Structure formats: structure tokens, C-alpha cells
Amino acid sequence: MLKVFPTVGGCFEEGWSVLKKHFLILLLAIIVSGVIDMPMGFNQMGWDDSDSFKIGLASFKFLGFIYYLLVVTPFSYGVDWMFLKASRKTEPQFEEILNGFKKFLFVILSHLLVIGIVVVGFLFLIIPGIYLVCKLIFVPFLIMDKKVDPIQAVKLSFYLSKGYFWTIFGMGILSFLVIILGLICLFAGVLVSIVWIHSAFAVLYKALDDLHFEEACELAGISPESIRN
């Protein structure tokens, strides 16, 4: 089987093939994930910010963050796992959307670690933050795909993306354009766009995993045999 070369065009082209083959189950995963994420939209609404509401508003936002961390995040990792399986020509099963809960502790800790690193990056202006977002984009895939802890996942994501920052950044720009195109096609177009973008990034991870996994492990000081599932 030919490997997909990790380019912006190559990943989106292969991602479209993944979309066509597994569209219904991946669409269902995106819809369910979106429904689970809906309470976060209410949490971001502009409420009355008068003094009498500030304490209640702060408590509401704190509970919203806890919900996001403990519920939304594991589902998100499960969705990433489904897309990765689809990119590997394996039929994803819908119940695998719950797989993030099987690695619950590592999922939560890795997500907190990524948030912390990215926040520090943005404190040093926008560019370092964007750079770190791109370098750490594979952490969810690594947590779900390999026997790694959060620190190992961060290290491996950093080295797995070595030399591909502009590819990842370019895919982010193209993803924005795809979403705009989806908006022009209204609701259905947005859903197709989201499935396509998820598929493309799963394809990128698969391609880099195929090509550079051993090298990334060596740079991270990790034995490849010890973390393969």
C-alpha cells in the first residue's frame, strides 16, 4: 500500500477519500460530539455582568470548564481515534467514541498539559502560541494510539512534527477556508467540512507515524517497542 506523503494537498486529498468511504459513521461521531459540546456554548453566552451576578457567573464558568475537561475532552479524543482508524483503512465502530474514557486519566492530564504549554506560549505573544499549537497537535492521537503517558505524548508530538510546522500551519489555513466554503453551503456544508478536516489531520498523523515514528522516538529518548499498542 502506498504511503501518503505528508503534504497539505496530499492529506486533504486522502482525507476526502476517507470521508467518502466512512462518511455516515464519522458524521454521526461529529454530530454526537457537537451535541455533547453544546453546554459549552451556553457557558460562553454574555450574561448580566453586574455585581450581583459575578459570583454566580464565575461558578457557572468554573463548572463549565470542569464539564469540558471531564466530559467533552474524552469524547473528543474518542472521535480522533475513530478518524485515525478510518485513515488506516479500518472500519471505525461507533462505540469507540467512548474510548477516551478508557484512558481517562492520561486524556485529562495530557489535555491540561497541552493547555498549560500553549497558554504560556501565547503569553509570549501570538507567534510562540501558534507554533506550540502546531507542534502539539498530535498529542490526542498519540494518547489514543500508543502506550504513552502525557509527557511522552508531548515529546513525541513535538518531534513527530519536526520539519512539518509549515505543513501543519498550512493545513490550518486551508481548514479555515474549507469551513468558509462549508458556511456558504449552509449547515450541511459545515458538517461535511468538519468531517473532511478531521480526516485530513488523521491522515497527516498516520503519514508521519509511518515515516518518522522511529526517529521521533529516538529524539524523545523513548523505546519504540515499549509504546506500540
Side-chain angles (χ1 to χ4, degrees), residues 22-158:
H22 304 283
F23 179 69
L24 289 179
I25 190 168
L26 295 178
L27 175 64
L28 182 58
I30 289 297
I31 291 174
V32 171
S33 178
V35 170
I36 292 167
D37 195 32
M38 283 180 63
M40 295 304 301
F42 290 105
N43 190 48
Q44 299 301 320
M45 290 176 61
W47 302 95
D48 185 346
D49 200 28
S50 62
D51 290 341
S52 60
F53 282 93
K54 283 184 178 179
I55 295 177
L57 181 61
S59 299
F60 186 76
K61 288 185 176 295
F62 175 74
L63 290 174
F65 176 74
I66 296 299
Y67 173 80
Y68 163 76
L69 185 63
L70 301 184
V71 179
V72 176
T73 300
F75 272 103
S76 174
Y77 276 53
V79 169
D80 287 336
W81 173 244
M82 291 179 66
F83 275 88
L84 179 57
K85 285 195 67 177
S87 75
R88 287 176 170 164
K89 314 299 183 184
T90 303
E91 184 69 35
Q93 303 300 314
F94 183 70
E95 59 268 21
E96 291 175 313
I97 198 173
L98 300 173
N99 278 17
F101 291 95
K102 295 180 180 180
K103 296 187 175 183
F104 185 76
L105 182 59
F106 280 179
V107 165
I108 302 305
L109 292 178
S110 66
H111 199 62
L112 284 174
L113 183 58
V114 169
I115 289 174
I117 293 172
V118 170
V119 167
V120 170
F122 276 108
L123 290 177
F124 289 94
L125 303 179
I126 298 297
I127 293 178
I130 293 174
Y131 174 79
L132 289 171
V133 168
C134 292
K135 296 295 289 182
L136 300 177
I137 196 167
F138 299 131
V139 168
F141 291 115
L142 287 161
I143 289 291
M144 299 303 298
D145 188 38
K146 311 293 184 185
K147 295 177 181 177
V148 292
D149 60 42
I151 293 176
Q152 289 175 324
V154 166
K155 288 181 179 179
L156 280 174
S157 182
F158 190 89

Side-chain angles (χ1 to χ4, degrees), residues 168-218:
I168 297 169
F169 183 75
M171 288 183 65
I173 297 298
L174 184 54
S175 296
F176 176 76
L177 298 177
V178 169
I179 289 292
I180 296 299
L181 181 62
L183 287 172
I184 294 174
C185 299
L186 303 180
F187 181 70
V190 173
L191 290 176
V192 173
S193 298
I194 294 172
V195 174
W196 190 12
I197 291 166
H198 274 72
S199 298
F201 276 99
V203 167
L204 176 62
Y205 168 79
K206 176 190 177 296
L208 294 180
D209 183 43
D210 289 342
L211 293 171
H212 300 299
F213 176 69
E214 303 283 344
E215 178 186 352
C217 287
E218 181 179 352

